[in-house]
Amino acid sequence: MRFTDTPELADWRKTVQGFLAQHWKRTEAEEEVMGEAAMLSPEYLARTKSWLDRLGEKGWLAPAWPKKYGGADMSVLEQFVLSEELTKVAAPTSRQMLNLVGPTIMLHGTEEQKAEHLPPMLRGEVAWCQGFSEPGSGSDLASLQTRAVRDGDDYVINGQKIWTSGAHRADWMFVLTRTDPDAPKHRGISYLLLDMKSPGVSVRPLVNLADEHIFNEVFFEDVRVPVRNRIGEENRGWYVGTTTLDFERSNIARAVNLKKQVTRLSRYVADRAAGGQPVSPAQRIEVVDRAVETAVCELLSFVVVSIQANGGVPNMEASMNKMYGSELSQRMAYTEMHVTGMRGQLRRPEGLESQDKIRAAMDYLTTVPATIAAGTSEIQRNIIATRGLGLPRG
Ligand SMILES: Cc1cc2nc3c(=O)[nH]c(=O)nc-3n(C[C@H](O)[C@H](O)[C@H](O)COP(=O)(O)OP(=O)(O)OC[C@H]3O[C@@H](n4cnc5c(N)ncnc54)[C@H](O)[C@@H]3O)c2cc1C
């Protein structure tokens, strides 16, 4: 395991840093008050469009994609460095859902499907959402019930999806549907591309506990989707849906963000001491614990990227990284709340001195779903137990 860049990677890092210094301009104050909903708002998306276009021109929006589809054919380590440097300066890194649906179309789509969907996706002209989870199917996704019945050249869809992020702004949904209810559950699913303007689609907001509208319920009532919008074979959608390209999966962005948070917190503690109002020794120790854990989180990212860079597929290592990082993001928010006390309860700390701009309340509320989204901590622990430790299934 090497902890430093090779000379080639060091050069690449300088190239990325030079590009960012020249082209990315956002004030630290803006970054500090930015919540997740704000980052999905039409204003923010419009403001960052030209930035994303610029990244897209270089193939940096979808670095793992082949050049012929608008990517950059980058190695895992080059993507790792790119992602690390973009996160350090809080630059938006990719268009929503690009990496979830793009590679699937690239690998399993017809030439017509690729030509229709990939270029507008990279140009940011269309927004996508992911219609996988249902009220009774989350961790056990293969049990999904939304039904698609063939009728001539169309499928007719009835059912419901839930927790669909960005459905209220999406033009398209990539959706898993049940096309054969009698087959074993993984073998009766088809992967469809659904135009959100189709008659019979209704989207209802779900407001999260931070009072933000990010995800939704989506209902389908006799929605017709042309058969030509199916990706891959009928009833093979489960396997189509698990497609990935060789993405960088270290989630270094999370470690970089945690580092920023703990640095801000340390500055706050130092400022309080300098101002004659030190925080308690117990709180100082809590901050130190978070700093140590952040270093561990970074190392777990290195483990994952090292495995990938050596041609391996991270499995339980990716689960360890996801579980540890998401649980640490919650502990970090708790510590922010403890250390900042009454000030931390301000939801939007605009107008305060910069050392007080810790988004403790928002971090506290918005990190709750971190251990649910993209696979719950319990599921990650199951993977670590069975695939990592060889324990029997419970
Ligand atoms: C912020 C956010 C955004 C999301 N965005 C999307 C989206 O855009 N599109 C989409 O399709 N989905 C989305 N989801 C849904 C997400 O994928 C599911 O919430 C997740 O897979 C868990 O499923 P569930 O909510 O049905 O919980 P369940 O699977 O019902 O789990 C409930 C509880 O039981 C536990 N549990 C379940 N099975 C086991 C087991 N085998 N062993 C031990 N414990 C178990 C879980 O850990 C959990 O604590 C989003 C979720 C969140 C929080």
Side-chain angles (χ1 to χ4, degrees):
M1 167 93 224
R2 61 181 296 158
F3 290 91
T4 51
D5 292 338
T6 59
E8 297 76 35
L9 274 184
D11 281 349
W12 168 236
R13 192 181 293 279
K14 270 198 210 116
T15 304
V16 176
Q17 286 171 341
F19 176 81
L20 288 170
Q22 205 182 342
H23 297 293
W24 174 244
K25 311 229 178 323
R26 180 135 75 78
T27 65
E28 201 183 342
E30 259 184 309
E31 179 194 332
E32 285 176 349
V33 297
M34 186 80 67
E36 196 173 346
M39 296 182 78
L40 289 176
S41 69
E43 300 75 38
Y44 178 77
L45 294 176
R47 204 151 51 91
T48 55
K49 185 173 183 319
S50 63
W51 164 251
L52 291 174
D53 285 346
R54 206 183 275 268
L55 280 191
E57 280 160 22
K58 297 180 84 67
W60 290 8
L61 267 183
W65 292 20
K67 281 194 176 134
K68 68 171 174 169
Y69 295 129
D73 267 331
M74 258 185 225
S75 74
V76 168
L77 287 174
E78 286 168 329
Q79 291 172 61
F80 179 85
V81 168
L82 177 66
S83 168
E84 193 176 8
E85 294 302 326
L86 287 166
T87 314
K88 277 187 195 165
V89 298
T93 53
S94 93
R95 295 200 152 104
Q96 224 200 345
M97 303 289 169
L98 193 70
N99 287 334
L100 287 175
V101 62
T104 309
I105 295 177
M106 212 182 295
L107 294 179
H108 299 280
T110 61
E111 287 310 314
E112 292 74 39
Q113 288 168 336
K114 289 178 202 174
E116 181 181 356
H117 294 293
L118 295 179
M121 204 182 281
L122 268 178
R123 290 196 300 267
E125 290 165 3
V126 287
W128 286 79
C129 63
Q130 179 187 34
F132 282 13
S133 304
E134 297 182 5
S137 306
S139 303
D140 180 19
L141 182 60
S143 68
L144 61 91
Q145 296 296 323
T146 291
R147 200 65 175 92
V149 177
R150 186 82 179 252
D151 180 29
D153 290 337
D154 293 335
Y155 288 105
V156 179
I157 304 186
N158 281 285
Q160 184 198 343
K161 297 289 172 180
I162 196 167
W163 315 124
T164 323
S165 303
H168 52 307
R169 285 195 262 274
D171 306 293
W172 286 87
M173 172 189 275
F174 51 106
V175 56
L176 290 180
T177 57
R178 184 151 306 279
T179 33
D180 183 353
D182 301 322
K185 63 180 179 180
H186 292 89
R187 304 221 186 115
I189 292 173
S190 296
Y191 189 116
L192 305 178
L193 306 182
L194 182 151
D195 184 338
M196 292 293 279
K197 288 184 290 299
S198 311
V201 176
S202 47
V203 178
R204 291 193 205 151
L206 289 171
V207 175
N208 70 13
L209 89 165
D211 202 25
E212 295 178 325
H213 175 198
I214 292 171
F215 43 39
N216 305 272
E217 293 179 293
V218 182
F219 297 86
F220 308 111
E221 229 181 294
D222 293 328
V223 178
R224 298 191 87 86
V225 172
V227 171
R228 66 180 156 76
N229 283 7
R230 190 187 67 225
I231 303 290
E233 289 173 41
E234 189 170 85
N235 296 327
R236 300 291 294 168
W238 179 260
Y239 309 97
V240 173
T242 53
T243 293
T244 56
L245 273 192
D246 196 11
F247 292 130
E248 185 278 291
R249 300 201 174 279
S250 69
N251 209 345
I252 187 64
R254 193 197 305 267
V256 171
N257 281 326
L258 285 164
K259 229 182 201 175
K260 284 193 212 169
Q261 270 179 286
V262 82
T263 304
R264 214 173 283 159
L265 208 47
S266 309
R267 211 165 55 207
Y268 176 86
V269 170
D271 286 350
R272 285 279 301 268
Q277 290 185 311
V279 303
S280 74
Q283 288 169 345
R284 290 167 67 99
I285 290 170
E286 224 185 296
V287 174
V288 173
D289 283 346
R290 296 301 86 83
V292 172
E293 290 164 357
T294 300
V296 172
C297 188
E298 194 178 23
L299 292 178
L300 288 173
S301 293
F302 288 172
V303 170
V304 171
V305 79
S306 302
I307 292 173
Q308 279 194 287
N310 288 314
V313 179
N315 191 309
M316 58 114 182
E317 297 85 358
S319 289
M320 284 164 61
N321 192 22
K322 197 277 170 178
M323 189 192 84
Y324 192 85
S326 54
E327 294 188 356
L328 174 55
S329 72
Q330 292 175 345
R331 287 197 297 280
M332 187 71 80
Y334 301 160
T335 300
E336 287 178 348
M337 291 291 275
H338 296 160
V339 170
T340 56
M342 294 295 278
R343 297 163 203 239
Q345 293 185 22
L346 288 171
R347 279 174 51 105
R348 307 223 179 264
E350 293 96 332
L352 292 184
E353 295 302 316
S354 79
Q355 75 271 18
D356 288 341
K357 278 185 179 157
I358 292 174
R359 305 182 327 129
M362 283 304 275
D363 288 342
Y364 190 86
L365 295 171
T366 55
T367 51
V368 171
T371 49
I372 302 172
T376 67
S377 276
E378 288 78 13
I379 296 299
Q380 309 306 333
R381 283 190 167 84
N382 281 349
I383 293 170
I384 296 164
T386 50
R387 295 185 205 161
L389 301 174
L391 297 177
R393 288 193 173 276

